[in-house]
Amino acid sequence: MDELNTEHRRVLERADASVAAAAERAAADPRRPIYHLTSAAYWINDPNGPVHFDGEYHLFFQHNPFASDWGRMCWGHAVSEDLVYWEHLPIALAPNPGSYDKDGIFSGCCVIHEGIPTILYTGVSPECQCLATSEDRLRSWIKHPANPVIGTRPRADLEGFRDPFCWRDRGFWYMALGSGIREDGGCVLLYRSADLCEWSYLGPLFQGTTGVMECPNFFSLGDRWLLCVSPFAQVSYAIGEYGEHRFQPRSGWRLMDLGRREDFYAPNSMLDPRGRRILWGWVQVGPPGAFWKGVLTLPRVLSLRADGQLGIEPL
């Protein structure tokens, strides 16, 4: 194991020890939800990298293992066989002091590339795109020696360069990245790669009028495509067509959830082995002074209805 990953293991041990020391007090709090997924202790926000592998569902999340407020983000980790009962696993990723991700492991996705589970995440600061892989059924993670695999922005006037969401299509991996163009509105950037290490910039997948389009999710749904973004406001989505590396909405933008931004934000999704598009969001809930803060929504199944609109139902 190289020096960076040796140090990473030491950082993870300290983070796990901090959570373990607070977990009993968090679990004893009668205000803490038991049906929604939360961290074993302390802060949780965006769901990250949902994936199914070797008979298990894995769900990661933005996590501060040292306090019940936002800090230098790690990736927490839970596993389930049925999407109802979850077991907390050791923290998957944490920032390495002095490295490309020294200020945080921001949101991203998890894919299976040639049989190897691979996380793509945003390292901070500055924002860059990075890889980590697992060879033990997602129980531990090694940061890739090629990191950062996307180290610079494709243009100087971008605001935000984060939250990779990847999918496979005709022999290539594609990556959507949340961004915005200064004085010109939000956008989602599109990249392509054959191996997840060497990436080519293809231009904006979509450009809109809102602020930075955080946490993009982009996937086919029936015979259409859906783009979902979190623009520092209520989560919005549009259904449309995808061709020539561009997304064209064919319906107006709509809200993914009618609650406040605090009730549903930064959703992330996966396609499971049964063909279900499953989505989770973040709920910003938790009393002051508690040893826990934030939960994830119950899993929702998305579908394209007969009338061409989005269907959402509890899993």
Side-chain angles (χ1 to χ4, degrees), residues 207-289:
Q207 186 172 345
T209 58
T210 64
V212 174
M213 292 181 165
E214 292 192 300
C215 301
N217 268 224
F218 186 63
F219 48 83
S220 60
L221 204 60
D223 60 355
R224 294 296 180 97
W225 286 76
L226 184 146
L227 176 62
C228 172
V229 296
S230 299
F232 295 109
Q234 289 169 290
V235 177
S236 300
Y237 75 91
I239 296 173
E241 298 174 355
Y242 173 54
E244 301 298 323
H245 308 311
R246 300 294 181 268
F247 171 66
Q248 179 62 51
R250 295 303 183 191
S251 63
W253 286 84
R254 299 190 174 202
L255 297 179
M256 181 71 75
D257 188 285
L258 298 181
R260 306 166 303 160
R261 174 190 171 186
E262 292 80 7
D263 300 321
F264 183 83
Y265 195 70
N268 213 323
S269 72
M270 63 171 288
L271 187 68
D272 85 340
R274 293 169 55 180
R276 300 177 296 184
R277 174 60 60 173
I278 306 173
L279 177 141
W280 291 262
W282 164 41
V283 185
Q284 303 178 44
V285 65

Side-chain angles (χ1 to χ4, degrees), residues 72-91:
R72 292 170 64 247
M73 287 296 99
C74 300
W75 271 35
H77 186 189
V79 64
S80 174
E81 294 183 354
D82 58 10
L83 297 174
V84 177
Y85 296 97
W86 292 89
E87 174 191 356
H88 287 102
L89 295 180
I91 294 168

